[in-house]
Amino acid sequence: MFNDIGGLELVALVILAVLIFGPDKLPKLIQDVSRFIRKVRDFSESAKADIRSELGPEFKDFEFEDLNPKTFVRKQLMDKDDLGLDEIRNGFDFRKELSEVTDAVNGKETAAPAGAAAAAGTSLSKDYGTSSGGSDLLRKRDTLDADECPPFDSDAT
């Protein structure tokens, strides 16, 4: 309830209460406040018991904390695997996917057939001037063909 109140703030509240109510009335006030809190707790527990009894035996394990949306979702979706979430969660290897993308960007060969890589390498070596079998699509070409216009970026001008 008071998770964000520090020690210094608590001492300030106690000093303020002593100054406002005085040392004579403070013990009586503390007793009255604690009695009121106890009555509110008893009232809420009896209301919960009445609601559980009215709902019937099929709701005997019903908890009011389950009405919190976070708890409800966690209980209904995360504990059960009806939707196959565990399979989806465990089937995706982020590091493997990231390494494949990095290899593709850097021009390293992944598990592609040898014939396809050789054909791609010859066509890329002609277009981009690479003599190795790897494809470096991000590398800027040194020269343009005779009938080719230079690249133009309309957003840059």
Side-chain angles (χ1 to χ4, degrees):
M1 184 172 167
F2 297 107
N3 293 334
D4 58 345
I5 294 180
L8 187 61
E9 293 152 345
L10 189 62
V11 169
L13 287 174
V14 168
I15 290 173
L16 187 65
V18 168
L19 290 176
I20 290 175
F21 298 109
D24 299 337
K25 295 181 183 178
L26 195 58
K28 173 89 169 101
L29 181 70
I30 292 173
Q31 287 177 352
D32 292 341
V33 168
S34 64
R35 191 175 303 123
F36 175 74
I37 291 173
R38 200 173 305 122
K39 284 183 181 180
V40 168
R41 284 184 186 164
D42 291 339
F43 175 74
S44 67
E45 289 298 322
S46 67
K48 286 180 184 179
D50 290 343
I51 290 173
R52 281 192 187 110
S53 67
E54 292 295 325
L55 286 176
E58 59 269 2
F59 292 101
K60 66 180 178 183
D61 60 343
F62 176 74
E63 292 294 327
F64 287 94
E65 290 80 20
D66 294 341
L67 296 176
N68 184 350
K70 287 182 181 179
T71 309
F72 179 78
V73 168
R74 188 177 301 122
K75 183 177 180 181
Q76 297 298 322
L77 292 180
M78 300 303 175
D79 292 343
K80 299 177 183 178
D81 195 27
D82 296 341
L83 301 175
L85 294 177
D86 288 336
E87 181 182 329
I88 294 170
R89 193 177 303 128
N90 296 332
F92 182 70
D93 187 11
F94 182 71
R95 291 181 188 208
K96 179 183 171 192
E97 298 291 330
L98 186 63
S99 67
E100 288 177 2
V101 169
T102 305
D103 290 344
V105 168
N106 292 333
K108 295 180 182 175
E109 290 294 324
T110 56
T122 58
S123 67
L124 289 174
S125 65
K126 184 180 105 183
D127 292 342
Y128 288 97
T130 58
S131 59
S132 65
S135 61
D136 194 2
L137 299 176
L138 297 178
R139 190 173 140 218
K140 193 174 184 180
R141 293 188 287 171
D142 295 332
T143 60
L144 298 174
D145 293 337
D147 59 344
E148 188 177 4
C149 295
F152 179 73
D153 188 7
S154 62
D155 293 333
T157 58

